[in-house]
Amino acid sequence: MTRLLVLLLLALSSTSYGFRMLEGEFTANKTCDLWCSFKKHRNTGNHQTAIGSIYRIMGDNKPGGEWLQIRDKDNSIRWVNKTCGNIKINKPIPFDYFILSISWQPTFCKEQKNKPECQSSNTLFALHGLWPTTDKKPYPAYCQGQIAKPFGHYTTLPLDQELSKKLSSNMPGTQSYLDRHEWHKHGSCSGMDVKTYYTKSVNYFQWFSDSPVAKQLKSHKGKIVSSKQVKQWINQWSASQSISLHCIKQNNKTVLKEIRLYLKKELPVSPNSQSFFQYAKRSNCPDSFYLTP
C-alpha cells in the first residue's frame, strides 16, 4: 500500500512539474525548509534539513529545475532547493548515441547580430555542442542535478590553457559562455569529465571541418546547392544515414542552419569512420537551399 502511494505521488508530481526520477544522495550544507509543496510554500510539521545529514534523492521537478524531491528522516517525501546541499547522482541517465551539432555560422549571425562572436568572425562552421541523445523523451539534460541558468551565470570551466584555446577557436560561442551552458546541460550527461568531453568535441568537430564535405560546402558559400549533391558529398566521406542537414527560412530564402553528425556512444578520442552511428533523423532541408556567405 505504501509503495502504491509513493508511485501515485510520483505520477502526480510528473504531471504537475515535469518530474524526473533520479537515484542518488543529497548532503545538506545549510538549514533549509523541506516543503510538502514548494509551489504553495507548504511545510507541514516545519521540517528542515540538518546540516551534514544525507537524504535519499527521489528526483527533481524537471531537468535543470531548482528543486529536489527527497525522503526525510521520517520517510516522508519532501522538496528541497538544490542550493541547500551537495548532490551525488548514483545512476547515470541512459542515452543511445551522440549528436555533434555544427552551426553554419553566417546563418546564426544573421539572426544574432549582437552576439560578441558575430562582431568580427568570418567563420563558416562553428561547434555548437556534443549531445548525448535518446529517441525517448525527456532527452538527457542537466544530469548531475545542475540548475539551468543564463549562460554567463555559470562559473569558468576547469580547462587547461591549451584546450581552452582550441575550444575558443572552434566554438566562437565561448564569447557568450556557450561552452559553460553546453557542459552543464549536455556534458553532464555524457559520462565524461569536462576535459575529456571538450577534447572529444573539438577533435570530432575538426575531423568534420577537414572533411571533403566541409570543403565542398565552404567552396559553395553564397550559392544555392541541391540536397542531392550534398548527400553525394556526404556519401563519399561517410554514410548518408549518419549526417542530417537542417534549414530555416531567412529573408525569404531557405538557408542551411545546422549540420548534425550522429556518433556512437563509445567515442574514441581519435575520430574514424567506425565512430558513426548509422541513424539520422530526416533532414528538413528542401531539394535546394542557400549557403549564407
Side-chain angles (χ1 to χ4, degrees):
M1 183 65 181
T2 302
R3 178 175 174 77
L4 181 61
L5 180 60
V6 169
L7 291 174
L8 179 60
L9 287 170
L10 291 178
L12 289 173
S13 298
S14 178
T15 302
S16 302
Y17 308 122
F19 180 82
R20 173 178 63 173
M21 294 183 70
L22 296 170
E23 294 182 16
E25 296 176 343
F26 173 79
T27 304
N29 59 19
K30 63 177 76 171
T31 301
C32 293
D33 283 308
L34 293 175
W35 304 99
C36 302
S37 169
F38 63 83
K39 282 195 169 183
K40 296 180 180 179
H41 275 228
R42 181 162 53 84
N43 183 0
T44 304
N46 195 31
H47 289 213
Q48 292 185 316
T49 54
I51 295 175
S53 290
I54 299 173
Y55 302 84
R56 178 186 169 192
I57 294 173
M58 308 295 291
D60 57 6
N61 63 309
K62 63 179 180 180
E66 296 183 24
W67 299 93
L68 277 181
Q69 191 181 74
I70 63 171
R71 278 197 179 277
D72 199 3
K73 299 305 181 182
D74 65 353
N75 215 34
S76 63
I77 294 176
R78 297 279 173 152
W79 292 96
V80 65
N81 193 281
K82 290 179 179 179
T83 61
C84 294
N86 299 315
I87 300 168
K88 179 183 178 184
I89 302 301
N90 297 329
K91 185 178 179 180
I93 295 175
F95 67 95
D96 300 316
Y97 54 92
F98 283 104
I99 291 176
L100 182 71
S101 175
I102 299 170
S103 299
W104 183 258
Q105 194 70 353
T107 297
F108 172 79
C109 287
K110 285 278 187 181
E111 293 184 307
Q112 304 288 341
K113 294 179 180 179
N114 294 325
K115 288 280 189 180
E117 60 267 33
C118 294
Q119 301 307 304
S120 59
S121 174
N122 58 0
T123 299
L124 292 180
F125 295 111
L127 173 61
H128 182 171
L130 182 65
W131 306 336
T133 308
T134 177
D135 290 331
K136 297 178 182 179
K137 293 183 179 181
Y139 303 123
Y142 304 103
C143 291
Q144 297 301 315
Q146 288 91 341
I147 298 174
K149 302 177 183 179
F151 293 8
H153 289 209
Y154 291 112
T155 57
T156 304
L157 298 178
L159 302 176
D160 60 55
Q161 188 174 3
E162 181 181 359
L163 181 54
S164 292
K165 186 176 180 180
K166 286 182 179 179
L167 185 59
S168 297
S169 175
N170 293 285
M171 180 188 269
T174 54
Q175 296 178 60
S176 299
Y177 310 112
L178 176 63
D179 53 325
R180 303 181 191 183
H181 164 77
E182 289 294 314
W183 165 249
H184 286 281
K185 184 175 182 179
H186 300 290
S188 63
C189 304
S190 68
M192 299 180 248
D193 60 68
V194 65
K195 182 178 180 181
T196 304
Y197 175 75
Y198 273 122
T199 296
K200 290 186 178 183
S201 297
V202 168
N203 287 353
Y204 279 82
F205 173 77
Q206 290 180 334
W207 180 49
F208 172 79
S209 296
D210 294 335
S211 72
V213 183
K215 290 175 182 177
Q216 288 283 10
L217 289 170
K218 288 177 183 177
S219 70
H220 285 75
K221 69 176 181 178
K223 299 178 182 179
I224 294 175
V225 295
S226 71
S227 291
K228 183 178 180 180
Q229 180 65 71
V230 176
K231 287 178 181 177
Q232 289 176 356
W233 299 337
I234 291 171
N235 282 332
Q236 290 170 6
W237 181 52
S238 62
S240 60
Q241 294 304 309
S242 299
I243 297 178
S244 62
L245 307 171
H246 299 267
C247 293
I248 60 169
K249 280 283 188 180
Q250 195 174 76
N251 297 330
N252 296 318
K253 292 181 180 179
T254 300
V255 299
L256 179 66
K257 179 183 181 181
E258 186 177 82
I259 299 166
R260 294 182 179 181
L261 275 63
Y262 295 77
L263 303 168
K264 291 179 180 177
K265 182 177 178 179
E266 299 78 17
L267 277 185
V269 174
S270 299
N272 60 70
S273 60
Q274 299 303 310
S275 302
F276 284 117
F277 184 74
Q278 296 299 313
Y279 166 82
K281 291 185 177 179
R282 181 178 295 179
S283 301
N284 74 346
C285 293
D287 291 341
S288 62
F289 54 89
Y290 184 63
L291 296 175
T292 307

